[in-house]
Amino acid sequence: MAGTASPSLVWVLVEYRGAWPPSGFEGLDLDAGTKAMVLSSARAANARVLLVRRPGPRRRHGVASWAVLRHESSGAYRQHWGTWERDEDLAEIASALALPGGTGLPPAILVCAHGQHDPCCAVWGRPVGLALSERWPELVWECSHVGGDRFAANAVVAPDGVYYGGLDAGTSVTTIEEHLSGRIHARYLRGYTDLLPPQQAAVAAALGEFGPAGRHDYVVTRALREGDHWLIHLAGRPPHPARIEVELRALRTPQRQLTCRAAGEGSVVIYQPISIRST
């Protein structure tokens, strides 16, 4: 799974309690002008728009929430939350995308449960969402497609920008508990959304070799490529190694069915660690 986190630094969350179409927000029957405004503002900000809902029984009535979550290049996390009842209320998202947002709020824990996009996400994601919501009821949301259906159940911690995959009800609680305590482990890590795939794989390899670390304890300082080989240099904060070199080889997997709904077989590129050393 290492190296498969979808790139993003900004997330737009829209709570929607009705049925989710396969295309998510774009497929909703909303006021056309408002929807176009949200989508164009999100594209301009390179933001990913996700539908969200609370795990468990569907709540059909009441005020719904929206949010803009931002991971800045400095490592700061900013959030802007609002509510909506009418379609036109969502126009506030465009304004929020242009504002920095507040700091100090806890992250959102997003679990993909988008069964209309791929049944695997619902079958595996919903039990994980329920398990996590029992532990952190105010933080956890089911969400629409985040990428990587083959790794269901998938969870994204935003705006930290950390993807996890291959989770079940038990491992998800332990994994997120460790994450919130500042200890990211390699086992279920797909990657960090501010890094390129080989860089994500290099950080995962370092975590696997030297043990768990905080979200910003490793920084990519250099990435060199020669053909299908990569050499990634990492700088670590104490007590982690100060300098690490990770050598990776890019491989294409054999053809196989990648998701439950895939019409045919496909293959993907993976990054295999060859060597990891502290220098």
Side-chain angles (χ1 to χ4, degrees), residues 152-242:
N154 288 295
V156 182
V157 184
D160 296 26
V162 180
Y163 268 58
Y164 294 100
L167 298 169
D168 60 25
T171 58
S172 64
V173 172
T174 302
T175 298
I176 298 301
E177 191 169 52
E178 285 289 281
H179 179 107
L180 297 176
S181 298
R183 294 185 297 271
I184 295 175
H185 294 256
R187 184 173 181 184
Y188 300 102
L189 180 65
R190 289 182 56 190
Y192 297 168
T193 62
D194 59 332
L195 299 180
L196 297 173
Q199 298 172 344
Q200 297 177 30
V203 171
L207 294 171
E209 181 73 14
F210 300 109
R215 171 63 173 88
H216 297 287
D217 283 351
Y218 287 121
V219 176
V220 176
T221 58
R222 195 178 185 191
L224 303 173
R225 179 182 182 181
E226 185 174 340
D228 60 357
H229 282 70
W230 287 83
L231 183 63
I232 310 294
H233 295 253
L234 305 175
R237 294 178 179 174
H240 312 290

Side-chain angles (χ1 to χ4, degrees), residues 44-260:
N46 292 318
R48 186 174 193 125
V49 183
L50 298 174
L51 299 179
V52 298
R53 63 192 172 212
R54 292 297 190 184
R58 303 269 184 96
R59 292 182 293 175
R60 297 292 185 180
H61 305 289
V63 177
S65 298
W66 61 263
V68 173
L69 313 180
R70 190 185 309 273
H71 182 149
E72 297 186 342
S73 57
S74 64
Y77 302 151
R78 296 187 176 274
Q79 303 185 36
H80 192 131
W81 288 82
T83 59
W84 70 288
E85 293 183 88
R86 302 175 301 120
D87 294 359
E88 292 77 8
D89 297 339
L90 292 173
E92 293 183 34
I93 292 173
S95 300
L97 282 164
L99 298 173
T103 59
L105 295 173
I109 303 167
L110 311 174
V111 181
C112 184
H114 197 173
Q116 287 296 317
H117 186 89
D118 194 286
C120 290
C121 296
V123 169
W124 295 101
R126 286 173 184 164
V128 166
L130 286 171
L132 291 174
S133 66
E134 289 178 1
R135 179 70 172 80
W136 299 280
E138 300 303 317
L139 304 185
V140 179
W141 302 85
E142 291 182 352
C143 72
S144 55
H145 178 59
V146 297
D149 304 337
R150 63 192 182 277
F151 303 123
N154 288 295
V156 182
V157 184
D160 296 26
V162 180
Y163 268 58
Y164 294 100
L167 298 169
D168 60 25
T171 58
S172 64
V173 172
T174 302
T175 298
I176 298 301
E177 191 169 52
E178 285 289 281
H179 179 107
L180 297 176
S181 298
R183 294 185 297 271
I184 295 175
H185 294 256
R187 184 173 181 184
Y188 300 102
L189 180 65
R190 289 182 56 190
Y192 297 168
T193 62
D194 59 332
L195 299 180
L196 297 173
Q199 298 172 344
Q200 297 177 30
V203 171
L207 294 171
E209 181 73 14
F210 300 109
R215 171 63 173 88
H216 297 287
D217 283 351
Y218 287 121
V219 176
V220 176
T221 58
R222 195 178 185 191
L224 303 173
R225 179 182 182 181
E226 185 174 340
D228 60 357
H229 282 70
W230 287 83
L231 183 63
I232 310 294
H233 295 253
L234 305 175
R237 294 178 179 174
H240 312 290
R243 289 180 297 276
I244 299 172
E245 289 184 359
V246 182
E247 185 180 358
L248 304 163
R249 178 172 57 188
L251 301 171
R252 183 161 288 280
T253 64
Q255 292 281 323
R256 63 184 180 90
Q257 184 165 344
L258 296 175
T259 68
C260 293

